[in-house]
Amino acid sequence: MRGFLKTILIAVFGISSIHAQNRQLLYDFNEIPQALMLNPGMKTSQRWHVGVPMISGLFFQASTSGVTVNDLFADDGVDFTTKVQERVLDVMTRRDDFGSTSQIEGFNIGFRGKNRPDDYYSFGMYGEMDIISYWPKDLALLAFEGNGGSNIGRSFDLGDLSLRGEMVNVFHFGINRKVNNTLTIGARAKLYSSIFQFQSIKNSGSFRTVQGQDNIYNSIIVADMQLQTSGVKGFYDIVDEDTGTTRKDLTSLFTERVLLGGNLGLGFDAGFTHQLNPQTTITGSILDVGFIYNSNDVWNYTLEGTASTEGITVFLPEDIDNVNNDLWQDLVDEIDEALPHGENQSSYISLRPIKAYGSIRYDFGEGGRSWSENCGCAINTGDGANSDFYRNSVGGQLYMIKRPRGIQAALTGFYQKRVGRGLSLKTTYTVDKYSLTNIGLGLNLQAGPINFYVLGDNLLGYGNIADSHYASLQFGFNIISWNDN
Amino acid sequence: MKKLFFHVLFASIIMLLLSSCTEEQDFSQIDDLSVTPTLASGIFYLESDEETINSAGGFGTFYSQTINFDAFNETYVAERLLEGVIIYEIENTTSKRADIRIEFLDESGNPLYQEAFTVEANPSETFTREVTYGPGGLNLSILTNTSSLRVTGRNLGDATSVSSHPEPKISLSSAAEFIFRLK
């Protein structure tokens, strides 16, 4: 039990690595090729780009809307159980969540069509891990307080359990097209290669103990719960066997799954950029509209049924001839039968977390020729109808993501400054359920063909990261060419 | 003005990066976590109508049964049991004085403890008894070694009288509320 609790707590707080997934600093940061991944209809200016393999796009994000690591683990001399009671059990609700997302780009390449210079093609591969767990408030209270004492009569909601996680490798190919001087559109097809996936998102039911009709207490459980997993048992079995080749076997299975050897899925992204006037631009995109069909290495666990018990009951004269002394075991069997828990290997479809971005931007401060003036592609440059022509941009962004318990949104205000041909800075202020003080800073540096960017979120939290509700960092290197050479 | 802006911006970034740190965290505190829920459940309920009691005869035993009962001696439960109470309630609307006895038996059938109740005929109130186990009460080992219960009901009255109550019966209810240490 101790190990189990430790595992749960470490999982809950340790994996806090994704959840919000909002990448507001990167969105519409046109100078960075990876911004195409957030809006395939972004305005592109380069002739081609090549991300430096494995380090072109590294993204880590962690979020918690409730308790922070510091709240619990600060060396403050307060009894740990008291901290859990006061900072978790007493204040967190079922809408609070812990999340974590990380993304590592394997490669990312883009090039402009020779015959169709208005088209910019990009393709690549990236791995993503995404985990979210809502705080199972009633289940936690049941574990910590029990159903007795003041909780007699209380209904514990089994639907409070809601979690989802996956690790997936994504192969993608996108086309970005300048339709005219004011409109750019784009779309990206995605092939998902699942490494593992699990979800327990459609649970319902309750457990309560009330005054019995005959006996003192009647405990009633109504449950319809399911944990679906794919790709998990394969890894578990290797670790469980613990042979001398465990590491090799894990690597081999992981590699196989990365390279389309596991469950597969399809999806797409789409987006646009529309210039309302020379200085005002609106953008929008929708990402990861897709699914994965889980049919290999599937193990699902279910608990479904209704049971109630008042203990062993004997009614005379009805039971006078019942000389069976296994009434206790009969009772246990009866409950077990009424509340079957089982396993199955039924295939299932898991939906990717759909994300949507929108923005409006106002450019100002004419700064002369743009950094991409030499692209030779006649794309999105010149005539002053190009934000690159302006040194400053200010605007707002809206972000939404579909989560197991509904849509989460974030609102961002930003200011971007371009300095010369090589430097661009962006600062954001974001409001969402995790933070009201999220200030981010991003820097993009272009030194010849070498491009480097680093974007950091919630910088005010950096004073004590363990006490931060939200943190994200992304950076990468690319080689970009605007020239024919 | 422009230079000033960037100097300030760069300085801010550098200061933030340099100042990024975290207070000392002590993850071993998790070992100090104490999880001790109170669990409640009905245990045993016996109900008999007056006719059945009469049919056992005056001073006769109208119910006697040994029931397997492993609720507390399951290893997982026994190791985590801290303290608690067993609550008994008896209602009697019959015209009989009665004796109900619950014996806690170990695996070999030896009595470890017994709870005996003598209830008057048609009392005006429900008879209630709370028996504490653990600190300040009976030894928890009685429960953790209990493998079965022997329940006996005996008529302490005659075999003919009938209560004027519309549905005369005698009932014994019991429930447990115990604190467990899960962590």
Side-chain angles (χ1 to χ4, degrees):
Chain A
M1 190 63 197
R2 186 171 167 172
F4 174 73
L5 274 170
K6 191 180 269 191
T7 304
I8 292 292
L9 282 166
I10 287 173
V12 165
F13 298 109
I15 60 171
S16 276
S17 81
I18 145 181
H19 163 210
Q21 281 205 12
N22 188 5
R23 300 170 77 173
Q24 69 274 31
L25 276 161
L26 182 60
Y27 186 77
D28 210 27
F29 205 141
N30 296 354
E31 292 85 345
I32 304 172
Q34 277 68 28
L36 258 177
M37 301 301 297
L38 300 185
N39 181 3
M42 182 187 85
K43 199 157 63 174
T44 55
S45 301
Q46 64 269 33
R47 176 158 289 278
W48 57 262
H49 79 266
V50 176
V52 179
M54 304 308 290
I55 55 168
S56 59
L58 294 149
F59 169 59
F60 306 96
Q61 188 176 57
S63 60
T64 164
S65 64
V67 69
T68 66
V69 172
N70 191 70
D71 288 339
L72 290 178
F73 296 104
D75 196 5
D76 52 11
V78 180
D79 174 61
F80 189 73
T81 304
T82 304
K83 286 196 276 191
V84 169
Q85 182 67 51
E86 293 177 352
R87 299 171 192 181
V88 180
L89 298 172
D90 290 350
V91 294
M92 285 181 66
T93 72
R94 70 193 298 272
R95 299 202 63 81
D96 284 313
D97 62 63
F98 307 92
S100 160
T101 298
S102 53
Q103 208 177 81
I104 299 175
E105 213 167 58
F107 66 93
N108 188 329
I109 296 170
F111 61 92
R112 195 161 294 287
K114 256 190 177 177
N115 300 324
R116 299 197 60 159
D118 285 345
D119 288 358
Y120 191 77
Y121 306 101
S122 60
F123 63 95
M125 179 189 86
Y126 67 87
E128 179 179 307
M129 189 168 80
D130 178 18
I131 296 170
I132 179 169
S133 172
Y134 288 89
W135 174 242
K137 182 180 172 65
D138 276 14
L139 296 176
L141 281 175
L142 183 59
F144 275 81
E145 296 177 1
N147 63 330
S150 59
N151 283 335
I152 294 291
R154 175 177 185 145
S155 179
F156 294 94
D157 188 351
L158 304 183
D160 277 5
L161 180 66
S162 181
L163 56 92
R164 182 165 70 187
E166 67 182 334
M167 183 181 276
V168 63
N169 196 42
V170 184
F171 299 88
H172 58 88
F173 176 78
I175 300 175
N176 174 278
R177 173 170 295 174
K178 177 190 171 189
V179 177
N180 56 44
N181 281 335
T182 60
L183 179 64
T184 303
I185 59 172
R188 181 178 305 285
K190 288 181 167 176
L191 175 61
Y192 303 113
S193 181
S194 175
I195 295 158
F196 67 77
Q197 202 276 346
F198 61 86
Q199 60 184 24
S200 184
I201 53 176
K202 289 181 181 173
N203 298 315
S204 64
S206 64
F207 172 71
R208 65 198 169 103
T209 300
V210 296
Q211 188 176 356
Q213 187 180 337
D214 298 312
N215 208 345
I216 297 172
Y217 294 137
N218 182 17
S219 296
I220 307 148
I221 184 168
V222 180
D224 185 1
M225 306 178 78
Q226 185 174 40
L227 170 65
Q228 296 171 304
T229 75
S230 76
V232 175
K233 194 164 186 301
F235 288 110
Y236 178 84
D237 287 345
I238 291 173
V239 173
D240 194 42
E241 282 170 17
D242 195 23
T243 61
T245 60
T246 298
R247 181 169 291 191
K248 187 182 161 193
D249 295 342
L250 285 174
T251 306
S252 172
L253 182 60
F254 181 82
T255 307
E256 182 189 327
R257 298 260 174 89
V258 164
L259 299 174
L260 308 175
N263 295 301
L264 303 178
L266 291 171
F268 72 91
D269 304 340
F272 73 94
T273 298
H274 179 52
Q275 208 154 0
L276 298 176
N277 61 49
Q279 287 179 271
T280 308
T281 304
I282 58 170
T283 74
S285 69
I286 186 163
L287 308 176
D288 278 326
V289 182
F291 68 93
I292 293 172
Y293 181 64
N294 298 281
S295 58
N296 297 321
D297 196 16
V298 171
W299 286 91
N300 304 321
Y301 304 87
T302 59
L303 179 68
E304 188 178 359
T306 301
S308 70
T309 178
E310 297 190 7
I312 300 168
T313 52
V314 175
F315 292 90
L316 302 178
E318 292 88 341
D319 297 326
I320 197 82
D321 296 325
N322 184 2
V323 292
N324 174 19
N325 71 353
D326 269 338
L327 294 178
W328 176 255
Q329 190 56 47
D330 290 349
L331 179 68
V332 172
D333 293 343
E334 195 180 303
I335 294 171
D336 203 38
E337 197 177 324
L339 204 64
H341 48 87
E343 298 178 7
N344 66 64
Q345 293 174 266
S346 304
S347 303
Y348 68 96
I349 287 173
S350 57
L351 298 176
R352 295 282 294 147
I354 297 176
K355 298 162 275 278
Y357 285 91
S359 78
I360 182 163
R361 189 183 70 232
Y362 177 73
D363 302 317
F364 61 98
E366 294 184 11
R369 302 293 293 175
S370 96
W371 52 272
S372 55
E373 61 184 328
N374 295 324
C375 81
C377 51
I379 299 303
N380 293 324
T381 61
D383 301 331
N386 170 20
S387 67
D388 303 330
F389 183 76
Y390 295 98
R391 297 298 188 192
N392 307 285
S393 300
V394 65
Q397 295 172 190
L398 175 66
Y399 166 78
M400 290 184 287
I401 182 170
K402 173 79 173 66
R403 283 303 188 190
R405 291 212 173 125
I407 292 171
Q408 289 178 2
L411 202 58
T412 297
F414 71 87
Y415 171 68
Q416 192 172 348
K417 180 80 181 176
R418 299 172 189 84
V419 186
R421 294 185 173 190
L423 183 64
S424 191
L425 295 147
K426 184 177 180 181
T427 181
T428 55
Y429 170 69
T430 301
V431 178
D432 60 14
K433 74 182 283 190
Y434 305 102
S435 173
L436 298 177
T437 57
N438 181 353
I439 294 173
L441 277 177
L443 175 151
N444 180 67
L445 191 63
Q446 189 72 39
I450 306 295
N451 165 262
F452 168 71
Y453 67 92
V454 58
L455 315 168
D457 233 347
N458 200 20
L459 298 180
L460 296 179
Y462 278 43
N464 181 10
I465 290 175
D467 201 29
S468 176
H469 286 270
Y470 182 89
S472 93
L473 180 70
Q474 49 197 321
F475 59 92
F477 291 89
N478 295 287
I479 299 169
I480 302 178
S481 170
W482 291 277
N483 300 309
D484 291 330
N485 300 328
Chain B
M1 188 62 190
K2 195 193 297 178
K3 272 191 174 176
L4 179 64
F5 171 77
F6 283 108
H7 285 151
V8 170
L9 200 56
F10 270 120
S12 303
I13 292 172
I14 289 166
M15 278 181 66
L16 280 167
L17 291 177
L18 288 177
S19 65
S20 70
C21 59
T22 182
E23 282 180 16
E24 189 179 338
Q25 306 294 307
D26 178 8
F27 292 101
S28 68
Q29 291 179 78
I30 203 167
D31 294 331
D32 302 330
L33 181 65
S34 173
V35 183
T36 53
T38 302
L39 303 183
S41 176
I43 299 178
F44 180 79
Y45 178 77
L46 171 68
E47 179 184 303
S48 175
D49 63 3
E50 190 162 21
E51 194 179 332
T52 303
I53 296 170
N54 281 340
S55 65
F59 296 89
T61 299
F62 61 90
Y63 183 73
S64 181
Q65 185 71 272
T66 300
I67 302 159
N68 172 271
F69 186 74
D70 294 316
F72 292 103
N73 76 355
E74 297 275 2
T75 308
Y76 184 83
V77 174
E79 286 175 352
R80 288 164 178 78
L81 203 55
L82 294 180
E83 60 180 298
V85 294
I86 294 182
I87 306 157
Y88 301 93
E89 288 181 2
I90 298 178
E91 284 186 72
N92 183 13
T93 54
T94 69
S95 60
K96 309 289 185 301
R97 194 165 170 257
D99 178 85
I100 298 179
R101 200 167 294 262
I102 300 177
E103 292 171 275
F104 295 76
L105 310 178
D106 66 13
E107 216 157 297
S108 307
N110 302 314
L112 298 167
Y113 176 73
Q114 76 165 0
E115 206 67 58
F117 310 91
T118 301
V119 57
E120 298 301 322
N122 203 9
S124 55
E125 290 181 349
T126 300
F127 174 86
T128 301
R129 180 184 295 173
E130 291 190 3
V131 181
T132 303
Y133 290 83
L138 296 173
N139 199 319
L140 280 170
S141 64
I142 294 170
L143 296 178
T144 56
N145 288 314
T146 294
S147 179
S148 55
L149 302 175
R150 183 159 57 215
V151 182
T152 309
R154 204 156 67 93
N155 177 11
L156 298 182
D158 62 47
T160 53
S161 63
V162 176
S163 167
S164 58
H165 195 277
E167 286 184 42
K169 65 182 180 185
I170 187 165
S171 66
L172 164 73
S173 307
S174 63
E177 275 205 42
F178 276 81
I179 299 174
F180 292 81
R181 176 169 295 286
L182 295 187
K183 165 79 173 69

